[in-house]
Amino acid sequence: MTVTLSTLNAAPSAVFVETLGAVFEHAPWVAEGAAAGRPYPTVEALFAAMRATVQRAEEGRRLALLAGHPELAGRAARAGRIAPDSIAEQAAAGLDRLSEAEFARFAALNAAYREKFGIPFILCVKRHGRASLLATFERRLGSSPEIERRVAEDEVMRIAAIRLDALVTGEGPLRTTGRISTHVLDTALGRPAAGVALELYEIVSATEAALVARAVTNADGRTDAPLVHGRPVPVATYELRVRLGDYHRRLGLDLPDPPFLDIVPLRFGVSEPEGHYHVPLVATPWSFQTYRGS
């Protein structure tokens, strides 16, 4: 469920805090601090007030905010003993489908991180694919306590921004989403390629690819909706597999068996979760070209 900013501006303080109390993990005091600053003209202004409440808080309270976050792929998460928002976020990143070896690796990293820094490892998992999660975890273990504390607080803000933007509608929304889109053009016929089946995969490892989306191009050669939209695009390597051979066979072209181009794989990387990655394909039965479009 969502709530409008105007409704929150007019709500009693208790309702305001109840509605926004879970935006920051186990810290309804953040919403309490922001309640007095109403009315807010934009969702951005509301979030700025919540962020300022955290930044003004005394040291013990800020440390407790970090300590209240669950471990990534920890036992509490696996058993469902963490906040519903956190369960959903970790599941969306695939952390509920780890192998025993992967689970053991996360457990070892969690223990090493907590021993070194005294807080759980905090990362906005919606902005990372599984491979990026693990690589970021291992890299941050080499950081200093001072730097890591700042990074952890930044990640708390990223998590809260995504939660707030999903919860509150109104003027000045936060920029928390990105998208992946495509457009297939038939240059042999000089027109968009309609009816082309395609799949988008996240490349998890050298032996694993996770299906993200499946679609068919419309009369304009585009998909009816972006392949990823309405959320951050996780940092990852992706592969768009375009079934060009099937498309040309349906046109009745005299193709060799097997055709020169059958399933065309376009592998690309996403490093900006809030960015727009447009990956078009310009093709004939014998050639293709791609680029990052807009």
Side-chain angles (χ1 to χ4, degrees):
M1 292 182 61
T2 60
V3 62
T4 65
L5 180 62
S6 59
T7 298
L8 282 176
N9 279 331
S13 292
V15 174
F16 180 91
V17 173
E18 181 181 0
T19 303
L20 302 183
V23 169
F24 284 82
E25 198 93 13
H26 302 300
W29 56 267
V30 180
E32 290 173 359
R38 294 178 292 167
Y40 293 106
T42 63
V43 179
E44 291 175 323
L46 169 59
F47 181 69
M50 298 182 82
R51 181 175 56 224
T53 298
V54 174
Q55 293 170 339
R56 289 194 304 264
E58 54 94 15
E59 177 68 12
R61 212 168 208 189
R62 291 174 67 177
L63 187 59
L65 176 61
L66 299 180
H69 275 261
E71 293 180 337
L72 289 191
R75 295 190 182 278
R78 196 175 237 204
R81 297 195 305 272
I82 61 174
D85 282 346
S86 294
I87 293 173
E89 289 159 1
Q90 294 205 23
L95 296 181
D96 60 338
R97 301 185 298 276
L98 297 179
S99 67
E100 287 302 319
E102 289 173 320
F103 179 68
R105 181 59 181 151
F106 269 102
L109 288 169
N110 278 323
Y113 186 93
R114 190 177 286 276
E115 180 179 356
K116 181 174 182 179
F117 300 112
I119 56 175
F121 176 74
I122 302 172
L123 186 69
C124 184
V125 296
K126 284 192 172 183
R127 301 178 77 251
H128 293 267
R130 274 168 54 195
S132 178
L133 283 173
L134 194 57
T136 303
F137 205 154
E138 292 173 336
R139 183 178 68 251
R140 281 174 53 185
L141 262 175
S143 185
S144 69
E146 296 76 18
I147 292 175
E148 191 56 24
R149 172 71 180 271
R150 291 196 298 271
V151 171
E153 289 186 346
D154 286 345
E155 292 298 320
V156 166
M157 295 301 169
R158 292 184 189 277
I159 294 167
I162 290 173
R163 290 178 179 176
L164 185 68
D165 203 48
L167 181 62
V168 181
T169 60
E171 293 294 322
L174 299 169
R175 185 169 176 261
T176 63
T177 64
R179 56 186 167 139
I180 295 176
S181 59
T182 190
H183 188 194
V184 184
L185 297 168
D186 184 334
T187 52
L189 296 178
R191 68 188 188 194
V196 180
L198 47 86
E199 299 94 28
L200 179 69
Y201 288 86
E202 176 191 332
I203 305 302
V204 179
S205 69
T207 58
E208 182 182 357
L211 179 65
V212 175
R214 181 180 283 120
V216 176
T217 59
N218 55 28
D220 193 36
R222 304 175 187 272
T223 56
D224 290 337
L227 298 170
V228 176
H229 64 103
R231 61 184 177 92
V233 182
V235 173
T237 297
Y238 293 88
E239 188 169 281
L240 182 62
R241 299 175 185 174
V242 184
R243 297 184 176 273
L244 203 59
D246 289 345
Y247 163 75
H248 285 132
R249 277 187 286 267
R250 281 198 308 276
L251 293 180
L253 298 185
D254 184 16
L255 299 177
D257 188 17
F260 179 66
L261 294 178
D262 192 2
I263 299 176
V264 175
L266 306 178
R267 189 168 290 202
F268 61 97
V270 166
S271 59
E272 308 163 44
E274 293 77 37
H276 177 199
Y277 288 80
H278 184 59
V279 188
L281 178 70
V282 179
T284 75
W286 311 103
S287 63
F288 69 89
Q289 180 182 9
T290 191
Y291 53 92
R292 182 174 178 181
S294 61

